[in-house]
């Protein structure tokens, strides 16, 4: 018996030893394979054929429906097409439409164009009193925010106006009266990315609801509207809780005003949080906010608020000018703001074909510009300026052709390229992984709709070439982040060589790009270490984006209002209509890139 036990023990030890040897062999082979891949990656893609094969493998790995994928990559530096897959087929481009809108605006309006908002009056100011009406006329300024409006009213006060005997007249006739784009599925939704647009708009067509904890648990929370407006009313039923964060948000119309309703629980330990609600009538909201600011700054308005056109013989009292279009376009593309895109589109229409500005006039300007840039008319069909409509169509080749034309036009290139989001650094691609992609060598515009992903822009290859590319995925064709990541890594690792004249041309760019650039994750590390820990509600990124830019999402993940649900309990549940609070069947939802 003892001999049998020893034999079984020896057999077990031998098997264990062989198992360990096999595991070590497998690990060594895996390490060797990984090292081989790293060496291949470090070596880069050295020929056009190798690049094409690498992208083709990525498509095969990451796409379950390659027939619904459109992919086009072109070298701007050598005017060569490097890869093409269903490149001429029109697909829904989502927010990549903003690339068309931005380029046409820079070309037809000019990077230095500024949007105006004016005060006019027919009467004279005597002894601080303006006898007659005062007219507030908007020209489509997309960045007319609360702070700008406050300074604008202060400028009027500096002109000596202390009392207005007439009415405050809102004039939004520079645009037509359509508040949403063609094909938008607004319904009863109050999602911020569906904010209405108009010639006289304030705060991106959004009212901010500020919520902070009260004096103690069980006490009412502190809730305020910003900016205050005579066109808005607030109904708040928010209590301070120990830990729970459950906010319900609604909006309804009553007696010509928007009633913003908010209720639920807000944690005692949380910092102030901002919720955004689109208004129904942008001109009424703006005029109501100006009237409230009059009162705050001591300007007496004896009359009421009404809507009418400014008389031709009225004289200018004060004017507010927006930042130049080059800055407006930056917010439009980096943060994919739908409201800004539609304002810019109608402004192009009004400036080119006469007021009132309409989407149809603006789209005519965009289409004419694209054709002049070499885009085939058969490969585009546009319905709005933001890409929110599912009626938009574009081919990947049309987008890449525009990108190439904008790069080749020095008058547009600096502002246009600067408006795109830097991969892994800012905008809608700030949180994309940086592994395998050199910092600041990829600038893109993303696009998201339900079942649609778009990704277009520029990439700087290792050999100095600039590549223009467009990836359009419809019908959940591919794994979007995996595919775009592989394609981006293939483009930046391209280091094919050319004949001497071309090599000499690219040598300077190659040497410059070899210089190191700061990595945000390392550079800003001390800020994260020394900053206070955010509360349970998370940090509000409203301040992070700078003045005049609001992160109201580029496109919905689900563009059918009323069919999606809130993703977590930290988000407000929006609703609209006659009911004070939303039903469980129509909770609204969260919008994100």
């Amino acid at each position: 018996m003892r001999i049998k036990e020893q034999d079984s023990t020896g057999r077990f030890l031998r098997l264990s030893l062989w198992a360990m040897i096999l595991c070590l062999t497998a690990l060594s082979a895996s390490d060797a394979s990984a090292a081989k891949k790293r060496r291949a990656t470090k070596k880069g893609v050295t020929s056009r054929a190798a690049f094409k094969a690498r992208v083709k493998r990525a498509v095969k790995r990451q796409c379950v429906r390659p027939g619904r994928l459109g992919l086009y990559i072109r070298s701007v530096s050598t005017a060569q097409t490097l890869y093409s897959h269903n490149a001429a087929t029109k697909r829904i481009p989502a927010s990549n439409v903003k690339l068309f809108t931005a380029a046409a605006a820079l070309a037809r309006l000019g990077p230095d164009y500024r949007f105006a908002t004016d005060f006019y009056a027919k009467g004279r100011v005597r002894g601080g009193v303006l006898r007659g009406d005062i007219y507030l006329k908007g020209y489509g300024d997309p960045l007319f925010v609360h702070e700008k409006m406050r300074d604008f009213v202060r400028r009027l006060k500096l002109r000596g106006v202390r009392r207005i005997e007439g009415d405050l007249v809102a004039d939004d006739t520079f645009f037509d009266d359509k508040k949403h784009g063609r094909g938008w599925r607004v319904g009863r939704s109050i999602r911020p990315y569906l904010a209405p647009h108009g010639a006289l708009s304030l705060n991106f067509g959004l009212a901010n609801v500020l919520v902070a904890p009260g004096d103690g648990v069980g006490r009412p929370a502190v809730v305020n509207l910003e900016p205050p407006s005579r066109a808005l009313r607030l109904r708040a039923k928010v209590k301070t809780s120990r830990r729970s964060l459950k906010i319900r948000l609604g909006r309804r119309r009553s007696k010509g005003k928007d009633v913003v309703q908010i209720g639920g629980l807000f944690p005692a330990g949380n910092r102030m949080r901002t919720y955004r609600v689109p208004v129904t009538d942008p001109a009424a909201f703006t005029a109501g906010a100006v009237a409230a600011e009059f009162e705050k700054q001591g300007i007496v308005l004896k009359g009421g608020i009404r809507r009418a056109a400014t008389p031709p013989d009225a004289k200018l009292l004060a004017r507010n000018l927006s930042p130049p279009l080059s800055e407006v376009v930056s917010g439009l593309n980096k943060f994919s703001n739908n409201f800004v895109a539609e304002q810019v589109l109608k402004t192009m229409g009004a400036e080119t074909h006469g007021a009132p500005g309409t989407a149809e006039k603006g789209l005519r300007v965009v289409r004419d510009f694209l054709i002049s840039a070499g885009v085939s008319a058969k490969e585009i069909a546009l319905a709005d300026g933001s890409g929110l409509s599912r009626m938009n169509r574009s081919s990947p080749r049309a987008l890449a052709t525009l990108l190439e034309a904008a790069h080749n036009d020095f008058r547009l290139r600096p502002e246009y390229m600067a408006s795109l989001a830097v991969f892994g650094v800012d905008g809608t691609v700030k949180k994309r992984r940086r592994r395998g992609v050199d910092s600041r060598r990829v600038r893109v515009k993303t696009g998201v709709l339900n079942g649609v992903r778009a990704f277009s822009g520029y990439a700087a290859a290792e050999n100095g070439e600039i590549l223009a590319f467009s990836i359009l995925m419809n019908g959940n064709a591919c794994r979007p982040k995996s595919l775009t990541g592989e394609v981006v890594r293939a483009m930046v690792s391209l280091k094919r060589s050319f004949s001497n004249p071309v090599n000499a041309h690219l040598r300077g760019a190659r040497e410059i790009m070899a210089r190191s650039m700061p990595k945000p994750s390392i550079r800003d590390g001390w800020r994260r270490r020394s900053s206070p820990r955010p509360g349970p509600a998370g940090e509000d990124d409203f301040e992070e984006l700078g003045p005049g830019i609001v992160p109201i999402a580029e496109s919905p993940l689900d563009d059918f209002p009323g069919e999606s649900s809130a993703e977590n309990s930290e988000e407000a549940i929006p609703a609209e209509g006659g009911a004070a609070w939303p039903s469980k069947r129509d909770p609204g939802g969260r919008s994100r890139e």
Side-chain angles (χ1 to χ4, degrees), residues 79-152:
Q80 289 181 329
T81 298
L82 301 183
Y83 188 83
S84 177
H85 176 84
N86 297 330
T89 303
K90 290 187 290 187
R91 304 184 187 278
I92 302 174
S95 283
N96 273 202
V97 166
K98 294 184 178 75
L99 290 171
F100 295 146
T101 305
L106 289 170
R108 296 295 179 251
L109 297 177
D112 57 334
Y113 180 87
R114 292 175 183 264
F115 302 81
T117 307
D118 296 341
F119 276 126
Y120 290 93
K122 292 182 67 175
R124 293 186 176 182
V125 180
R126 293 180 179 177
V129 178
L130 172 62
R131 301 191 180 278
D133 299 329
I134 186 167
Y135 296 86
L136 176 63
K137 185 174 179 61
Y139 293 91
D141 185 355
L143 301 188
F144 190 53
V145 293
H146 185 203
E147 294 78 8
K148 290 281 186 180
M149 183 269 291
R150 186 172 54 209
D151 293 340
F152 189 34

Side-chain angles (χ1 to χ4, degrees), residues 332-447:
L332 163 66
N333 277 336
K334 280 187 182 291
F335 305 108
S336 203
N337 193 303
N338 297 323
F339 171 83
V340 175
E342 300 303 329
Q343 295 286 101
V344 170
L345 181 74
K346 288 192 174 183
T347 300
M348 277 193 286
E351 292 285 4
T352 306
H353 298 292
T358 66
E360 290 73 21
K361 291 179 181 178
L363 290 172
R364 200 187 318 163
V365 177
V366 174
R367 180 183 174 85
D368 291 344
F369 165 74
L370 293 177
I371 292 173
S372 70
V375 176
S376 171
K378 297 179 180 180
E379 296 184 14
I380 52 171
L382 303 179
D384 65 10
S386 62
L388 193 56
S389 173
R390 300 185 78 91
M391 299 170 69
N392 289 303
R393 293 293 185 275
S394 172
S395 69
R397 187 167 63 186
L399 284 159
T401 300
L402 167 73
L403 291 165
E404 183 177 9
H407 181 272
N408 291 336
D409 190 340
F410 182 77
R411 299 168 299 175
L412 305 181
R413 185 198 309 170
E415 290 83 6
Y416 191 65
M417 292 191 71
S419 74
L420 302 180
V422 183
F423 196 83
V425 176
D426 64 10
T428 56
V429 290
K430 180 178 181 179
K431 296 181 181 179
R432 293 290 183 97
R433 295 190 305 176
R434 303 176 182 85
R435 187 177 64 189
V437 180
D438 289 342
S439 181
R440 294 178 175 82
R441 279 173 55 185
V442 181
R443 291 178 175 267
V444 298
K445 177 74 197 74
T446 56

Side-chain angles (χ1 to χ4, degrees), residues 220-379:
V222 180
V223 184
N224 287 303
L225 277 177
E226 186 182 275
S229 173
R230 293 187 182 181
L232 294 180
R233 281 171 43 208
L234 178 66
R235 273 189 62 194
K237 296 179 181 179
V238 184
K239 287 187 177 182
T240 306
S241 65
R242 291 189 183 277
R243 294 181 181 178
S244 298
L245 174 61
K246 294 180 180 179
I247 294 295
R248 298 169 297 175
L249 198 61
R251 182 197 67 187
R252 63 184 178 88
R253 292 288 288 177
S254 177
K255 299 179 181 179
K257 294 184 178 182
D258 283 339
V259 180
V260 177
Q261 304 162 304
I262 184 169
L265 302 173
F266 196 82
N270 267 30
R271 63 182 67 186
M272 185 180 70
R273 191 172 176 86
T274 303
Y275 300 93
R276 300 181 180 91
V277 181
V279 300
T280 302
D281 188 339
F285 169 58
T286 306
V290 168
E293 190 62 30
F294 279 166
E295 183 177 354
K296 188 175 180 180
Q297 295 197 27
I299 299 176
V300 178
L301 177 64
K302 293 294 292 181
I305 301 174
R306 59 187 177 89
R307 190 195 308 262
T310 303
D313 56 343
K315 295 181 179 179
L316 182 66
L317 288 179
R319 168 167 289 170
N320 176 79
L321 291 176
S322 74
L325 181 65
S326 56
E327 296 183 28
V328 175
V329 165
S330 178
L332 163 66
N333 277 336
K334 280 187 182 291
F335 305 108
S336 203
N337 193 303
N338 297 323
F339 171 83
V340 175
E342 300 303 329
Q343 295 286 101
V344 170
L345 181 74
K346 288 192 174 183
T347 300
M348 277 193 286
E351 292 285 4
T352 306
H353 298 292
T358 66
E360 290 73 21
K361 291 179 181 178
L363 290 172
R364 200 187 318 163
V365 177
V366 174
R367 180 183 174 85
D368 291 344
F369 165 74
L370 293 177
I371 292 173
S372 70
V375 176
S376 171
K378 297 179 180 180
E379 296 184 14

Side-chain angles (χ1 to χ4, degrees), residues 23-41:
C23 288
L24 290 173
T25 304
L27 287 172
S28 299
S30 176
D31 290 342
S33 176
K36 186 177 180 181
K37 287 182 179 180
R38 284 196 295 270
R39 286 194 298 270
T41 302

Side-chain angles (χ1 to χ4, degrees), residues 463-481:
N463 66 350
E465 281 185 88
I466 302 298
L467 310 181
F469 66 93
S470 178
I471 308 172
L472 301 182
M473 294 166 272
N474 285 189
N476 298 315
C478 311
R479 302 179 188 92
K481 289 190 177 181

Side-chain angles (χ1 to χ4, degrees), residues 524-583:
D524 300 334
W526 68 271
R527 289 192 179 96
R528 288 191 295 275
R529 290 191 296 270
S530 60
S531 62
R533 186 186 296 265
E539 290 184 295
D540 193 340
D541 58 355
F542 185 72
E543 300 295 335
E544 179 186 5
L545 302 185
I549 302 299
V550 173
I552 58 175
E554 78 159 53
S555 301
L557 288 179
D558 188 317
D559 63 343
F560 293 86
E563 291 186 11
S564 61
S565 60
E567 290 188 3
N568 56 56
S569 60
E570 293 185 3
E571 291 297 322
I573 301 177
E576 181 188 13
W581 308 117
S583 66

